[in-house]
Amino acid sequence: MTIRVKFFASLREQIINPSTEVDGSQAKTISDVWALATDEPMPAHVLCSVNLDHKDPGDPVADGDEVAFFPPITGG
Amino acid sequence: MTIRVKFFASLREQIINPSTEVDGSQAKTISDVWALATDEPMPAHVLCSVNLDHKDPGDPVADGDEVAFFPPITGG
Amino acid sequence: MAVLIKSETFNPASLQAAHESSLNTGSFGATATFIGSMRNVNEGDDVIGMMLEHYPGMTEKELEAIIEDARSQWPIDDALIVHRVGDIKPGEPIVLTAVWSAHRAAAFDACRFLMEALKSRAPFWKKETLKDGTHRWVERNTPGY
Amino acid sequence: MAVLIKSETFNPASLQAAHESSLNTGSFGATATFIGSMRNVNEGDDVIGMMLEHYPGMTEKELEAIIEDARSQWPIDDALIVHRVGDIKPGEPIVLTAVWSAHRAAAFDACRFLMEALKSRAPFWKKETLKDGTHRWVERNTPGY
């Protein structure tokens, strides 16, 4: 099984060649997913979600999850 | 010269045969106008205006003014 | 800035759009609007009609003063107040307040201020007709905050 | 209760009227509405276009959760959120929030809550195109209160 990884908005443009999938057995937290998917440190103020719910970087992940990283929200 | 007197809404229906004009030389305040125009005591919570501006019962009046009495406002 | 007193039913969206057509598209980012309409129930009783009395002359003067008060407190681009008078039926609009501004905080604040100020200062009075044919003057407003 | 994501420009008044047509006339007395539209100036620069990116799936989920949060806090009859995505031009609407309620306090409070919650929770991002052809991501919201 794998964890799907998505990046949005400015983060999608900034992160160079991120993985869109990581090995679920190697990731315990959202931060682990970031480290597996990119070669860069996680910037301050990055927001994250697991399976479409807002989460914190230290929150756990599981095989099959969809994890997303994005900058502060600016809609409305 | 005279002071014109108007009553609105429930007050217009309650006051029996009010005068629509009073002698301006006999009225110094809005309360005086009420006393000259009706035979009834002024109810609590009555609002009043002089020349379309909100005023208090103790405020002065002058010949030629238009004085109005009305219940609490319920528009909107 | 405009104040309209309507003796016939009105379409809030149409009046809002007509007013907005005089503004520069792209100059404002926020439009806050409130519509008060006649409910068919009040204080637990079925209401079948309403008569809105007002004090012509003072009404317009107070509404214009309320808009000026809003302009002095918030950076607003424009404002519109429309108020119905005369005999109205359940579901019909009673009042429209609309505010255009660069940003949303001023639009929300000023739109709500217009409503609250109108309900305490503008000389309008409501008389309801109940289902059994009796009439009664509305004696108080519901709280605004 | 409804959430709509629009990839083409929309008419806020038409969508509001269409939604309202499903409600019982006379059952509500207060309708509070907010429209956010694209300004042609931001942070002192002329802006000629904007791209609104979102996170499909999460967007709808968050907007529906925001409406449920409003329903749990205020006695509202109905609520509508419409949000634009894709390429938009100055003057076009970005967002509509509308709340119908018996009384005005709940309508105002809930309408503003929808906007503030949306701006902090719903995954939308704006990228501006400036007059000189350069692009930039909007990095912060204006204050809501």
Side-chain angles (χ1 to χ4, degrees):
Chain A
M1 289 281 283
T2 57
I3 290 174
R4 281 165 296 142
V5 190
K6 293 185 172 186
F7 299 85
F8 287 95
S10 56
L11 217 53
R12 177 175 44 74
E13 295 182 350
Q14 286 161 19
I15 305 297
I16 298 159
N17 286 328
S19 306
T20 57
E21 291 187 352
V22 301
D23 182 349
S25 69
Q26 292 187 54
K28 291 203 163 115
T29 67
I30 295 173
S31 294
D32 295 341
V33 173
W34 177 280
L36 290 166
T38 84
D39 293 327
E40 303 175 38
M42 194 188 295
H45 309 306
V46 164
L47 301 176
C48 37
S49 66
V50 176
N51 300 334
L52 311 182
D53 282 331
H54 286 287
K55 295 287 179 187
D56 292 319
D59 285 335
V61 292
D63 248 356
D65 281 350
E66 172 171 304
V67 174
F69 299 97
F70 39 84
I73 282 166
T74 56
Chain B
M1 290 284 282
T2 58
I3 290 174
R4 281 166 296 144
V5 190
K6 292 184 172 186
F7 298 85
F8 287 95
S10 57
L11 216 53
R12 179 175 43 72
E13 294 182 349
Q14 285 160 21
I15 305 297
I16 298 158
N17 286 327
S19 305
T20 57
E21 291 186 352
V22 300
D23 181 350
S25 68
Q26 292 187 53
K28 290 201 163 116
T29 68
I30 296 173
S31 294
D32 295 340
V33 173
W34 176 280
L36 289 167
T38 84
D39 294 327
E40 302 173 38
M42 194 188 295
H45 309 305
V46 164
L47 302 176
C48 36
S49 66
V50 176
N51 301 332
L52 311 182
D53 282 332
H54 286 287
K55 294 289 178 184
D56 292 319
D59 285 335
V61 293
D63 249 355
D65 281 351
E66 174 171 302
V67 175
F69 299 98
F70 40 84
I73 281 165
T74 56
Chain C
M1 311 290 162
V3 164
L4 302 172
I5 307 297
K6 293 283 184 185
S7 55
E8 304 289 337
T9 194
F10 64 95
N11 183 316
S14 299
L15 294 180
Q16 185 180 341
H19 192 80
E20 190 171 296
S21 68
S22 69
L23 304 180
N24 287 323
T25 297
S27 64
F28 56 90
T31 310
T33 304
F34 180 83
I35 299 165
S37 48
M38 190 189 151
R39 295 170 66 226
N40 52 22
V41 169
N42 193 25
E43 303 197 356
D45 299 305
D46 289 337
V47 184
I48 61 170
M50 183 181 275
M51 191 277 292
L52 268 152
E53 183 173 330
H54 76 129
Y55 185 173
M58 184 170 177
T59 310
E60 294 82 348
K61 184 174 176 296
E62 282 296 315
L63 295 178
E64 285 164 9
I66 287 165
I67 287 181
E68 285 311 304
D69 283 359
R71 273 159 63 94
S72 71
Q73 290 181 68
W74 293 282
I76 65 178
D77 289 19
D78 212 327
L80 170 66
I81 299 177
V82 185
H83 204 292
R84 180 71 190 281
V85 294
D87 291 315
I88 83 168
K89 293 190 284 289
E92 289 183 352
I94 297 170
V95 62
L96 164 69
T97 59
V99 172
W100 291 263
S101 183
H103 300 294
R104 70 191 186 286
F108 273 123
D109 282 340
C111 183
R112 193 161 187 171
F113 168 84
L114 293 182
M115 272 306 298
E116 297 313 310
L118 180 159
K119 289 186 90 87
S120 68
R121 290 167 49 181
F124 293 104
W125 303 275
K126 290 173 179 164
K127 189 180 195 177
E128 297 175 333
T129 303
L130 303 186
K131 203 177 181 179
D132 63 8
T134 58
H135 303 279
R136 70 179 177 198
W137 289 97
V138 176
E139 295 195 335
R140 57 183 178 187
N141 287 319
T142 50
Y145 287 95
Chain D
M1 311 291 162
V3 164
L4 302 172
I5 307 297
K6 293 282 183 186
S7 56
E8 303 289 338
T9 194
F10 65 95
N11 183 317
S14 299
L15 295 179
Q16 184 181 341
H19 192 81
E20 190 171 296
S21 68
S22 68
L23 304 180
N24 287 324
T25 296
S27 64
F28 56 89
T31 310
T33 306
F34 180 82
I35 298 165
S37 48
M38 189 188 152
R39 295 170 65 227
N40 52 23
V41 170
N42 193 24
E43 303 197 357
D45 298 306
D46 290 335
V47 184
I48 61 170
M50 183 182 276
M51 192 276 292
L52 268 152
E53 181 172 333
H54 75 129
Y55 185 173
M58 184 169 178
T59 310
E60 295 82 347
K61 184 174 176 297
E62 282 296 315
L63 295 178
E64 285 163 10
I66 287 166
I67 287 182
E68 285 311 305
D69 283 359
R71 273 159 62 92
S72 71
Q73 290 181 69
W74 293 282
I76 65 178
D77 289 20
D78 212 326
L80 170 66
I81 299 178
V82 184
H83 204 293
R84 181 69 191 280
V85 295
D87 291 315
I88 83 167
K89 292 190 284 291
E92 290 184 350
I94 297 170
V95 62
L96 164 69
T97 59
V99 172
W100 291 264
S101 183
H103 300 294
R104 71 190 185 287
F108 273 122
D109 283 339
C111 183
R112 193 161 187 170
F113 168 84
L114 293 182
M115 273 305 299
E116 297 314 310
L118 179 158
K119 288 187 89 88
S120 68
R121 291 166 49 182
F124 293 103
W125 302 275
K126 290 173 179 163
K127 189 180 196 177
E128 297 175 332
T129 303
L130 304 186
K131 202 177 183 179
D132 63 8
T134 58
H135 303 279
R136 70 177 178 200
W137 289 98
V138 176
E139 296 196 332
R140 56 182 179 185
N141 287 318
T142 50
Y145 287 95

